[in-house]
Amino acid sequence: MSIHTVLVTGGAGYIGSHACVELLNSGFNVVVVDNLSNSKATSLDRVKQITGKSVRFYEADIRDKEKLNNIFTKEKPTTVIHFAGLKAVGESCEQPHLYYHNNVFGTLVLTEVMQEHNVKQLVFSSSATVYGITDKTQYSEDLPIGAINPYGRSKAMVEDILRDLAAADSKTKPDKPWKIALLRYFNPIGAHDSGLIGEDPNGIPNNLMPYVAQVAIGKLPQLSVFGDDYPTKDGTGVRDYIHVIDLVKGHISAIHAFNKEQFLSGNCKAYNLGAGHGYSVLDIINTFEKITGKSINYKISPRRNGDLAEYYANPELALKELNWKVEKTLKDMVADTWNWQSKNPQGYQ
Ligand code: NAD
Ligand code: WQD
């Protein structure tokens, strides 16, 4: 059997670098396209250290159609995993144009090039953020979309575009229709257990786990817990945290599912990737303290604008159709985060 080449946009980033490890370990050839706007190429050297195999790396912006065309001509991928995108909610409210240009226009250019090269298998990094506000705490894929910030809307717009693309040719091009998996991630945390790759946020982290890790290592003085008066078990926000290794395995499962019934005559389908239950901010702090023996200096602060009290995935569809579910525990997520953080206190620098 010929070995498939998977082109990974954003492959030098946090989730992308872990995906490269899983893809290489699963026997795929891997080509990475990344403009390094939020990552360092060192991550790909580390991928080689872990797997003993190299990815082919192109430092390029997915909006550069000519470069992308040349890469497709040379590398002949059969499938694309599309991680490249900007992801900071606050920044997206300040610079919406940047977010729509990068995330929406970038995907348009990518899918145009894919179409021109007849590459029609795509796994897209979507987000639970697309669900917006609802009275439910457990999110199933059939809930209405209603993102509440430009970042979330950029993901929702891309989902719409991809659904339209698949619908347009599922009947007219039965020989090679689009097969698109929209993977809606809940809250990815953790790192590869080697401690060689992990999340390396620029500046002060926006997200809870890297913030806690930087307080533990002494880089940041104190964590602010955003609200302790939510209607949750202990008053703090509850989220569905998912180990990044479980998450990237979901992408491999999606690629395999392109040969299964639901994709045979073309389709664009959304799948939640989450554990199906949540942990509170205090659960995270307590587990971190227990596993690492470090005490986390924190104070209760006002709620953060735009935060919801509690939500978690209904992951049944991914189990049924992708044969995927999470395997790792909160302890694994905390232990692997700490292993990465303590071995790389300055990230990749
Ligand atoms: P990341 O910033 O670590 O990785 C994204 C990568 O894409 C970076 O290496 C960046 O340099 C690259 N990139 C950005 N714009 C590009 C462009 N125009 N051309 C080429 N490369 C570009 O982020 P991540 O956490 O690994 O997230 C990966 C994807 O998953 C993103 O699309 C993000 O929106 C989505 N996602 C992330 C989370 C999360 O909490 N981390 C949750 C849901 C969805
Ligand atoms: C988790 C919990 C906070 C920081 C974000 C994006 C979402 C997705 C994942 C990409 C909440 C609390 C946090 C802190 C705290 N990304 N918190 N102090 O907000 O669930 O989701 O990342 O798609 O789009 O919005 O994740 O890690 O920021 O917050 O108390 O310093 O931790 O209030 O309850 P969030 P988070």
Side-chain angles (χ1 to χ4, degrees):
M1 209 179 83
S2 66
I3 298 175
H4 292 285
T5 297
V6 178
L7 186 141
V8 182
T9 74
Y14 168 44
I15 303 169
S17 55
H18 289 81
C20 289
V21 167
E22 284 304 312
L23 286 163
L24 291 167
N25 285 342
S26 306
F28 293 99
N29 285 328
V30 179
V31 173
V32 167
V33 177
D34 198 305
N35 65 2
L36 303 182
S37 59
N38 197 38
S39 54
K40 305 212 169 47
T42 318
S43 64
L44 298 175
D45 301 333
R46 302 279 181 91
V47 167
K48 186 174 180 189
Q49 239 178 295
I50 295 168
T51 61
K53 297 176 191 169
S54 298
V55 304
R56 283 192 296 287
F57 173 52
Y58 294 87
E59 185 174 342
D61 194 297
I62 54 164
R63 292 165 293 182
D64 184 338
K65 192 168 179 189
E66 202 186 323
K67 263 195 192 165
L68 209 53
N69 244 317
N70 291 338
I71 297 168
F72 271 73
T73 304
K74 193 164 171 229
E75 300 290 351
K76 298 183 177 42
T78 57
T79 303
V80 173
I81 306 184
H82 179 27
F83 294 108
L86 299 174
K87 61 166 182 177
V89 172
E91 186 184 58
S92 80
C93 298
E94 286 153 22
Q95 300 187 66
H97 196 256
L98 175 69
Y99 271 65
Y100 291 124
H101 199 268
N102 199 74
N103 295 3
V104 181
F105 177 65
T107 307
L108 280 176
V109 174
L110 173 69
T111 48
E112 258 173 31
V113 173
M114 289 178 71
Q115 192 139 266
E116 282 163 24
H117 289 261
N118 210 21
V119 177
K120 297 175 86 175
Q121 299 198 136
L122 174 64
V123 181
F124 173 62
S125 296
S126 190
S127 168
T129 300
V130 298
Y131 290 117
I133 293 169
T134 146
D135 54 5
K136 300 213 164 47
T137 48
Q138 187 172 37
Y139 293 178
S140 299
E141 289 82 352
D142 55 5
L143 274 182
I145 298 302
I148 56 164
N149 55 61
Y151 165 70
R153 277 191 283 276
S154 77
K155 291 287 177 188
M157 284 177 196
V158 168
E159 283 203 359
D160 276 338
I161 291 167
L162 297 178
R163 268 187 288 270
D164 287 344
L165 273 186
D169 77 359
S170 64
K171 291 198 177 66
T172 53
K173 299 201 176 70
D175 49 322
K176 195 158 183 192
W178 277 101
K179 299 180 177 190
I180 303 174
L182 310 171
L183 302 185
R184 294 179 180 159
Y185 312 160
F186 280 68
N187 288 56
I189 58 172
H192 189 266
D193 62 10
S194 61
L196 285 166
I197 55 174
E199 188 170 10
D200 180 19
N202 264 334
I204 295 176
N206 297 310
N207 297 115
L208 178 65
M209 196 54 151
Y211 207 109
V212 171
Q214 292 196 14
V215 171
I217 200 95
K219 263 180 98 176
L220 292 170
Q222 189 175 50
L223 169 75
S224 291
V225 174
F226 297 141
D228 68 348
D229 55 354
Y230 284 108
T232 58
K233 61 174 193 170
D234 59 23
T236 66
V238 169
R239 296 291 182 272
D240 186 337
Y241 295 95
I242 170 172
H243 196 297
V244 64
I245 293 295
D246 279 335
L247 181 76
V248 296
K249 284 184 174 165
H251 295 64
I252 312 279
S253 302
I255 293 177
H256 291 309
F258 287 147
N259 296 319
K260 290 190 185 169
E261 201 184 332
Q262 71 268 28
F263 283 108
L264 277 189
S265 28
N267 208 345
C268 175
K269 264 203 112 164
Y271 296 95
N272 287 338
L273 295 188
H277 54 83
Y279 291 105
S280 71
V281 177
L282 293 181
D283 286 335
I284 299 284
I285 294 172
N286 293 336
T287 310
F288 209 97
E289 289 185 331
K290 230 179 254 162
I291 297 267
T292 65
K294 298 266 171 191
S295 102
I296 303 298
N297 180 19
Y298 73 88
K299 66 164 192 274
I300 305 297
S301 301
R303 292 179 179 191
R304 184 172 65 178
N305 229 348
D307 271 354
L308 299 175
E310 172 166 10
Y311 62 88
Y312 45 91
N314 176 346
E316 280 169 23
L317 191 65
L319 177 60
K320 187 170 159 226
E321 294 193 0
L322 306 181
N323 196 23
W324 173 92
K325 64 173 166 50
V326 300
E327 283 165 4
K328 296 197 180 259
T329 64
L330 181 58
K331 282 185 184 162
D332 298 328
M333 300 188 230
V334 167
D336 291 337
T337 299
W338 181 239
N339 186 35
W340 153 255
Q341 181 70 68
S342 47
K343 284 182 176 157
N344 305 269
Q346 305 304 327
Y348 287 113
Q349 269 167 13

PDB file of all heavy atoms in Angstrom, residues 87 89 127 129 151 186-187 206-208 211 223-226 237-239 241 281 304 307 311, ligand 2:
ATOM      1  N   LYS A  87      -5.967  32.322  17.584  1.00  0.00           N
ATOM      2  CA  LYS A  87      -6.906  31.676  18.516  1.00  0.00           C
ATOM      3  C   LYS A  87      -7.189  32.459  19.796  1.00  0.00           C
ATOM      4  O   LYS A  87      -7.822  31.917  20.701  1.00  0.00           O
ATOM      5  CB  LYS A  87      -6.376  30.290  18.873  1.00  0.00           C
ATOM      6  CG  LYS A  87      -5.018  30.325  19.563  1.00  0.00           C
ATOM      7  CD  LYS A  87      -4.642  29.010  20.202  1.00  0.00           C
ATOM      8  CE  LYS A  87      -3.322  29.119  20.915  1.00  0.00           C
ATOM      9  NZ  LYS A  87      -2.887  27.937  21.622  1.00  0.00           N
ATOM     10  N   VAL A  89      -9.156  34.868  21.961  1.00  0.00           N
ATOM     11  CA  VAL A  89     -10.480  35.486  21.915  1.00  0.00           C
ATOM     12  C   VAL A  89     -10.384  37.010  22.114  1.00  0.00           C
ATOM     13  O   VAL A  89     -10.964  37.792  21.352  1.00  0.00           O
ATOM     14  CB  VAL A  89     -11.395  34.862  22.997  1.00  0.00           C
ATOM     15  CG1 VAL A  89     -12.706  35.610  23.103  1.00  0.00           C
ATOM     16  CG2 VAL A  89     -11.630  33.389  22.685  1.00  0.00           C
ATOM     17  N   SER A 127     -14.047  24.471  17.045  1.00  0.00           N
ATOM     18  CA  SER A 127     -13.971  24.729  18.486  1.00  0.00           C
ATOM     19  C   SER A 127     -15.361  24.681  19.098  1.00  0.00           C
ATOM     20  O   SER A 127     -16.356  25.039  18.448  1.00  0.00           O
ATOM     21  CB  SER A 127     -13.374  26.119  18.677  1.00  0.00           C
ATOM     22  OG  SER A 127     -13.517  26.542  20.004  1.00  0.00           O
ATOM     23  N   THR A 129     -16.332  26.719  20.965  1.00  0.00           N
ATOM     24  CA  THR A 129     -16.721  28.138  20.955  1.00  0.00           C
ATOM     25  C   THR A 129     -17.832  28.420  19.953  1.00  0.00           C
ATOM     26  O   THR A 129     -18.571  29.379  20.114  1.00  0.00           O
ATOM     27  CB  THR A 129     -15.473  28.976  20.576  1.00  0.00           C
ATOM     28  OG1 THR A 129     -14.493  28.714  21.552  1.00  0.00           O
ATOM     29  CG2 THR A 129     -15.741  30.437  20.515  1.00  0.00           C
ATOM     30  N   TYR A 151     -13.353  35.569  17.117  1.00  0.00           N
ATOM     31  CA  TYR A 151     -12.638  34.299  16.949  1.00  0.00           C
ATOM     32  C   TYR A 151     -13.632  33.160  16.696  1.00  0.00           C
ATOM     33  O   TYR A 151     -13.504  32.403  15.731  1.00  0.00           O
ATOM     34  CB  TYR A 151     -11.777  33.986  18.189  1.00  0.00           C
ATOM     35  CG  TYR A 151     -11.320  32.546  18.206  1.00  0.00           C
ATOM     36  CD1 TYR A 151     -10.381  32.085  17.286  1.00  0.00           C
ATOM     37  CD2 TYR A 151     -11.858  31.624  19.112  1.00  0.00           C
ATOM     38  CE1 TYR A 151      -9.989  30.749  17.272  1.00  0.00           C
ATOM     39  CE2 TYR A 151     -11.472  30.288  19.106  1.00  0.00           C
ATOM     40  CZ  TYR A 151     -10.533  29.857  18.182  1.00  0.00           C
ATOM     41  OH  TYR A 151     -10.161  28.535  18.158  1.00  0.00           O
ATOM     42  N   PHE A 186     -12.903  20.819  22.734  1.00  0.00           N
ATOM     43  CA  PHE A 186     -13.270  21.475  23.980  1.00  0.00           C
ATOM     44  C   PHE A 186     -11.992  22.134  24.536  1.00  0.00           C
ATOM     45  O   PHE A 186     -11.421  22.959  23.839  1.00  0.00           O
ATOM     46  CB  PHE A 186     -14.051  20.505  24.880  1.00  0.00           C
ATOM     47  CG  PHE A 186     -15.497  20.465  24.382  1.00  0.00           C
ATOM     48  CD1 PHE A 186     -15.800  19.895  23.131  1.00  0.00           C
ATOM     49  CD2 PHE A 186     -16.517  21.073  25.071  1.00  0.00           C
ATOM     50  CE1 PHE A 186     -17.094  19.938  22.612  1.00  0.00           C
ATOM     51  CE2 PHE A 186     -17.812  21.113  24.576  1.00  0.00           C
ATOM     52  CZ  PHE A 186     -18.097  20.551  23.340  1.00  0.00           C
ATOM     53  N   ASN A 187     -11.497  21.831  25.700  1.00  0.00           N
ATOM     54  CA  ASN A 187     -10.325  22.578  26.204  1.00  0.00           C
ATOM     55  C   ASN A 187      -9.056  21.716  26.207  1.00  0.00           C
ATOM     56  O   ASN A 187      -8.806  20.981  27.161  1.00  0.00           O
ATOM     57  CB  ASN A 187     -10.608  23.099  27.616  1.00  0.00           C
ATOM     58  CG  ASN A 187     -11.604  24.245  27.607  1.00  0.00           C
ATOM     59  OD1 ASN A 187     -12.707  24.119  27.091  1.00  0.00           O
ATOM     60  ND2 ASN A 187     -11.229  25.377  28.166  1.00  0.00           N
ATOM     61  N   ASN A 206      -3.432  33.281  28.177  1.00  0.00           N
ATOM     62  CA  ASN A 206      -4.861  33.590  28.343  1.00  0.00           C
ATOM     63  C   ASN A 206      -5.571  32.435  29.036  1.00  0.00           C
ATOM     64  O   ASN A 206      -6.579  32.632  29.694  1.00  0.00           O
ATOM     65  CB  ASN A 206      -5.542  33.759  26.974  1.00  0.00           C
ATOM     66  CG  ASN A 206      -4.977  34.924  26.203  1.00  0.00           C
ATOM     67  OD1 ASN A 206      -4.866  36.013  26.734  1.00  0.00           O
ATOM     68  ND2 ASN A 206      -4.599  34.680  24.947  1.00  0.00           N
ATOM     69  N   ASN A 207      -5.057  31.225  28.823  1.00  0.00           N
ATOM     70  CA  ASN A 207      -5.788  30.025  29.251  1.00  0.00           C
ATOM     71  C   ASN A 207      -5.324  29.546  30.624  1.00  0.00           C
ATOM     72  O   ASN A 207      -4.201  29.801  31.049  1.00  0.00           O
ATOM     73  CB  ASN A 207      -5.616  28.915  28.207  1.00  0.00           C
ATOM     74  CG  ASN A 207      -6.215  29.303  26.872  1.00  0.00           C
ATOM     75  OD1 ASN A 207      -5.507  29.449  25.885  1.00  0.00           O
ATOM     76  ND2 ASN A 207      -7.518  29.505  26.828  1.00  0.00           N
ATOM     77  N   LEU A 208      -6.225  28.831  31.269  1.00  0.00           N
ATOM     78  CA  LEU A 208      -6.002  28.441  32.665  1.00  0.00           C
ATOM     79  C   LEU A 208      -4.747  27.580  32.877  1.00  0.00           C
ATOM     80  O   LEU A 208      -3.908  27.898  33.728  1.00  0.00           O
ATOM     81  CB  LEU A 208      -7.244  27.689  33.175  1.00  0.00           C
ATOM     82  CG  LEU A 208      -7.140  27.187  34.608  1.00  0.00           C
ATOM     83  CD1 LEU A 208      -7.038  28.335  35.596  1.00  0.00           C
ATOM     84  CD2 LEU A 208      -8.345  26.297  34.948  1.00  0.00           C
ATOM     85  N   TYR A 211      -1.346  29.088  32.540  1.00  0.00           N
ATOM     86  CA  TYR A 211      -1.205  30.106  33.585  1.00  0.00           C
ATOM     87  C   TYR A 211      -0.821  29.445  34.900  1.00  0.00           C
ATOM     88  O   TYR A 211       0.138  29.856  35.584  1.00  0.00           O
ATOM     89  CB  TYR A 211      -2.505  30.919  33.739  1.00  0.00           C
ATOM     90  CG  TYR A 211      -2.266  32.303  34.270  1.00  0.00           C
ATOM     91  CD1 TYR A 211      -2.406  33.427  33.463  1.00  0.00           C
ATOM     92  CD2 TYR A 211      -1.875  32.498  35.595  1.00  0.00           C
ATOM     93  CE1 TYR A 211      -2.145  34.694  33.949  1.00  0.00           C
ATOM     94  CE2 TYR A 211      -1.616  33.771  36.094  1.00  0.00           C
ATOM     95  CZ  TYR A 211      -1.753  34.863  35.258  1.00  0.00           C
ATOM     96  OH  TYR A 211      -1.490  36.123  35.740  1.00  0.00           O
ATOM     97  N   LEU A 223      -2.264  33.440  40.322  1.00  0.00           N
ATOM     98  CA  LEU A 223      -3.376  33.157  39.402  1.00  0.00           C
ATOM     99  C   LEU A 223      -4.619  33.890  39.885  1.00  0.00           C
ATOM    100  O   LEU A 223      -4.911  33.887  41.085  1.00  0.00           O
ATOM    101  CB  LEU A 223      -3.656  31.648  39.399  1.00  0.00           C
ATOM    102  CG  LEU A 223      -4.948  31.212  38.689  1.00  0.00           C
ATOM    103  CD1 LEU A 223      -4.792  31.294  37.168  1.00  0.00           C
ATOM    104  CD2 LEU A 223      -5.341  29.790  39.102  1.00  0.00           C
ATOM    105  N   SER A 224      -5.343  34.511  38.953  1.00  0.00           N
ATOM    106  CA  SER A 224      -6.668  35.036  39.287  1.00  0.00           C
ATOM    107  C   SER A 224      -7.700  33.995  38.896  1.00  0.00           C
ATOM    108  O   SER A 224      -7.737  33.564  37.744  1.00  0.00           O
ATOM    109  CB  SER A 224      -6.961  36.313  38.482  1.00  0.00           C
ATOM    110  OG  SER A 224      -6.137  37.356  38.922  1.00  0.00           O
ATOM    111  N   VAL A 225      -8.504  33.586  39.854  1.00  0.00           N
ATOM    112  CA  VAL A 225      -9.614  32.676  39.550  1.00  0.00           C
ATOM    113  C   VAL A 225     -10.807  33.565  39.195  1.00  0.00           C
ATOM    114  O   VAL A 225     -11.285  34.343  40.029  1.00  0.00           O
ATOM    115  CB  VAL A 225      -9.937  31.762  40.753  1.00  0.00           C
ATOM    116  CG1 VAL A 225     -11.189  30.933  40.478  1.00  0.00           C
ATOM    117  CG2 VAL A 225      -8.749  30.866  41.061  1.00  0.00           C
ATOM    118  N   PHE A 226     -11.255  33.460  37.956  1.00  0.00           N
ATOM    119  CA  PHE A 226     -12.280  34.387  37.456  1.00  0.00           C
ATOM    120  C   PHE A 226     -13.668  33.974  37.921  1.00  0.00           C
ATOM    121  O   PHE A 226     -14.408  33.339  37.187  1.00  0.00           O
ATOM    122  CB  PHE A 226     -12.229  34.468  35.929  1.00  0.00           C
ATOM    123  CG  PHE A 226     -10.934  35.017  35.386  1.00  0.00           C
ATOM    124  CD1 PHE A 226     -10.355  34.474  34.232  1.00  0.00           C
ATOM    125  CD2 PHE A 226     -10.281  36.081  36.003  1.00  0.00           C
ATOM    126  CE1 PHE A 226      -9.170  34.971  33.714  1.00  0.00           C
ATOM    127  CE2 PHE A 226      -9.088  36.592  35.485  1.00  0.00           C
ATOM    128  CZ  PHE A 226      -8.527  36.023  34.348  1.00  0.00           C
ATOM    129  N   GLY A 237     -15.724  28.176  37.321  1.00  0.00           N
ATOM    130  CA  GLY A 237     -16.112  27.733  35.977  1.00  0.00           C
ATOM    131  C   GLY A 237     -15.743  26.269  35.715  1.00  0.00           C
ATOM    132  O   GLY A 237     -14.692  25.803  36.162  1.00  0.00           O
ATOM    133  N   VAL A 238     -16.620  25.575  35.004  1.00  0.00           N
ATOM    134  CA  VAL A 238     -16.383  24.159  34.697  1.00  0.00           C
ATOM    135  C   VAL A 238     -16.205  23.982  33.181  1.00  0.00           C
ATOM    136  O   VAL A 238     -17.003  24.488  32.387  1.00  0.00           O
ATOM    137  CB  VAL A 238     -17.554  23.286  35.201  1.00  0.00           C
ATOM    138  CG1 VAL A 238     -17.461  21.863  34.676  1.00  0.00           C
ATOM    139  CG2 VAL A 238     -17.574  23.276  36.738  1.00  0.00           C
ATOM    140  N   ARG A 239     -15.142  23.257  32.807  1.00  0.00           N
ATOM    141  CA  ARG A 239     -14.850  23.001  31.389  1.00  0.00           C
ATOM    142  C   ARG A 239     -14.494  21.532  31.188  1.00  0.00           C
ATOM    143  O   ARG A 239     -14.045  20.855  32.104  1.00  0.00           O
ATOM    144  CB  ARG A 239     -13.645  23.843  30.927  1.00  0.00           C
ATOM    145  CG  ARG A 239     -13.845  25.338  30.961  1.00  0.00           C
ATOM    146  CD  ARG A 239     -14.841  25.817  29.926  1.00  0.00           C
ATOM    147  NE  ARG A 239     -14.994  27.263  29.937  1.00  0.00           N
ATOM    148  CZ  ARG A 239     -15.858  27.912  30.724  1.00  0.00           C
ATOM    149  NH1 ARG A 239     -16.643  27.257  31.546  1.00  0.00           N
ATOM    150  NH2 ARG A 239     -15.939  29.231  30.672  1.00  0.00           N
ATOM    151  N   TYR A 241     -11.863  19.434  29.898  1.00  0.00           N
ATOM    152  CA  TYR A 241     -10.445  19.453  29.519  1.00  0.00           C
ATOM    153  C   TYR A 241     -10.082  18.140  28.837  1.00  0.00           C
ATOM    154  O   TYR A 241     -10.472  17.063  29.285  1.00  0.00           O
ATOM    155  CB  TYR A 241      -9.568  19.679  30.760  1.00  0.00           C
ATOM    156  CG  TYR A 241      -9.807  21.049  31.354  1.00  0.00           C
ATOM    157  CD1 TYR A 241     -10.716  21.238  32.397  1.00  0.00           C
ATOM    158  CD2 TYR A 241      -9.169  22.175  30.830  1.00  0.00           C
ATOM    159  CE1 TYR A 241     -10.971  22.507  32.920  1.00  0.00           C
ATOM    160  CE2 TYR A 241      -9.415  23.448  31.349  1.00  0.00           C
ATOM    161  CZ  TYR A 241     -10.311  23.599  32.391  1.00  0.00           C
ATOM    162  OH  TYR A 241     -10.563  24.856  32.886  1.00  0.00           O
ATOM    163  N   VAL A 281     -12.298  25.111  38.013  1.00  0.00           N
ATOM    164  CA  VAL A 281     -10.980  25.744  38.153  1.00  0.00           C
ATOM    165  C   VAL A 281     -10.314  25.239  39.437  1.00  0.00           C
ATOM    166  O   VAL A 281      -9.105  24.930  39.445  1.00  0.00           O
ATOM    167  CB  VAL A 281     -11.126  27.293  38.187  1.00  0.00           C
ATOM    168  CG1 VAL A 281      -9.765  27.951  38.418  1.00  0.00           C
ATOM    169  CG2 VAL A 281     -11.752  27.802  36.889  1.00  0.00           C
ATOM    170  N   ARG A 304     -14.660  36.836  34.333  1.00  0.00           N
ATOM    171  CA  ARG A 304     -14.106  37.353  33.079  1.00  0.00           C
ATOM    172  C   ARG A 304     -15.254  37.519  32.084  1.00  0.00           C
ATOM    173  O   ARG A 304     -16.084  36.620  31.941  1.00  0.00           O
ATOM    174  CB  ARG A 304     -13.060  36.360  32.548  1.00  0.00           C
ATOM    175  CG  ARG A 304     -12.337  36.799  31.297  1.00  0.00           C
ATOM    176  CD  ARG A 304     -11.195  35.851  30.957  1.00  0.00           C
ATOM    177  NE  ARG A 304     -11.639  34.502  30.616  1.00  0.00           N
ATOM    178  CZ  ARG A 304     -10.829  33.516  30.249  1.00  0.00           C
ATOM    179  NH1 ARG A 304      -9.523  33.711  30.174  1.00  0.00           N
ATOM    180  NH2 ARG A 304     -11.304  32.320  29.957  1.00  0.00           N
ATOM    181  N   ASP A 307     -17.279  34.739  29.736  1.00  0.00           N
ATOM    182  CA  ASP A 307     -17.149  33.351  30.214  1.00  0.00           C
ATOM    183  C   ASP A 307     -18.511  32.752  30.545  1.00  0.00           C
ATOM    184  O   ASP A 307     -19.382  33.434  31.086  1.00  0.00           O
ATOM    185  CB  ASP A 307     -16.300  33.293  31.495  1.00  0.00           C
ATOM    186  CG  ASP A 307     -14.818  33.136  31.195  1.00  0.00           C
ATOM    187  OD1 ASP A 307     -14.461  32.956  30.022  1.00  0.00           O
ATOM    188  OD2 ASP A 307     -14.015  33.211  32.154  1.00  0.00           O
ATOM    189  N   TYR A 311     -19.718  24.092  30.718  1.00  0.00           N
ATOM    190  CA  TYR A 311     -20.133  23.302  29.560  1.00  0.00           C
ATOM    191  C   TYR A 311     -19.141  22.181  29.307  1.00  0.00           C
ATOM    192  O   TYR A 311     -17.969  22.258  29.680  1.00  0.00           O
ATOM    193  CB  TYR A 311     -20.339  24.153  28.295  1.00  0.00           C
ATOM    194  CG  TYR A 311     -19.135  24.890  27.765  1.00  0.00           C
ATOM    195  CD1 TYR A 311     -18.261  24.274  26.861  1.00  0.00           C
ATOM    196  CD2 TYR A 311     -18.886  26.205  28.125  1.00  0.00           C
ATOM    197  CE1 TYR A 311     -17.176  24.953  26.344  1.00  0.00           C
ATOM    198  CE2 TYR A 311     -17.793  26.887  27.622  1.00  0.00           C
ATOM    199  CZ  TYR A 311     -16.941  26.265  26.736  1.00  0.00           C
ATOM    200  OH  TYR A 311     -15.858  26.931  26.235  1.00  0.00           O
TER     201      TYR A 311
HETATM  202  C1  WQD B   2     -10.984  27.895  31.515  1.00  0.00           C
HETATM  203  C2  WQD B   2     -11.613  28.253  32.854  1.00  0.00           C
HETATM  204  C3  WQD B   2     -11.977  30.617  33.135  1.00  0.00           C
HETATM  205  C4  WQD B   2      -7.760  31.736  33.100  1.00  0.00           C
HETATM  206  C5  WQD B   2     -10.792  29.210  25.630  1.00  0.00           C
HETATM  207  C6  WQD B   2     -11.408  29.820  24.394  1.00  0.00           C
HETATM  208  C7  WQD B   2     -12.005  28.739  23.543  1.00  0.00           C
HETATM  209  C8  WQD B   2     -11.028  27.599  23.267  1.00  0.00           C
HETATM  210  C9  WQD B   2     -10.345  27.124  24.499  1.00  0.00           C
HETATM  211  C10 WQD B   2     -10.019  27.898  21.111  1.00  0.00           C
HETATM  212  C11 WQD B   2     -12.705  29.322  32.745  1.00  0.00           C
HETATM  213  C12 WQD B   2     -10.965  30.112  34.134  1.00  0.00           C
HETATM  214  C13 WQD B   2      -8.947  31.033  33.072  1.00  0.00           C
HETATM  215  C14 WQD B   2      -7.361  32.347  34.323  1.00  0.00           C
HETATM  216  C15 WQD B   2      -9.339  31.480  35.381  1.00  0.00           C
HETATM  217  N1  WQD B   2      -9.968  28.001  22.386  1.00  0.00           N
HETATM  218  N2  WQD B   2      -9.714  30.914  34.183  1.00  0.00           N
HETATM  219  N3  WQD B   2      -8.176  32.199  35.409  1.00  0.00           N
HETATM  220  O1  WQD B   2     -12.263  30.262  28.197  1.00  0.00           O
HETATM  221  O2  WQD B   2     -12.967  27.830  28.435  1.00  0.00           O
HETATM  222  O3  WQD B   2     -11.829  28.577  26.389  1.00  0.00           O
HETATM  223  O4  WQD B   2      -9.827  28.232  25.244  1.00  0.00           O
HETATM  224  O5  WQD B   2     -10.938  27.565  20.407  1.00  0.00           O
HETATM  225  O6  WQD B   2     -12.405  29.362  22.370  1.00  0.00           O
HETATM  226  O7  WQD B   2     -12.404  30.749  24.777  1.00  0.00           O
HETATM  227  O8  WQD B   2     -10.528  28.410  28.466  1.00  0.00           O
HETATM  228  O9  WQD B   2      -8.478  28.117  29.771  1.00  0.00           O
HETATM  229  O10 WQD B   2      -9.257  30.464  29.228  1.00  0.00           O
HETATM  230  O11 WQD B   2     -10.566  29.088  30.868  1.00  0.00           O
HETATM  231  O12 WQD B   2     -10.042  31.386  36.386  1.00  0.00           O
HETATM  232  O13 WQD B   2      -6.323  33.028  34.401  1.00  0.00           O
HETATM  233  O14 WQD B   2     -10.598  28.827  33.696  1.00  0.00           O
HETATM  234  O15 WQD B   2     -12.817  31.585  33.713  1.00  0.00           O
HETATM  235  O16 WQD B   2     -13.681  29.018  33.695  1.00  0.00           O
HETATM  236  P1  WQD B   2     -12.001  28.843  27.931  1.00  0.00           P
HETATM  237  P2  WQD B   2      -9.611  29.059  29.563  1.00  0.00           P
END
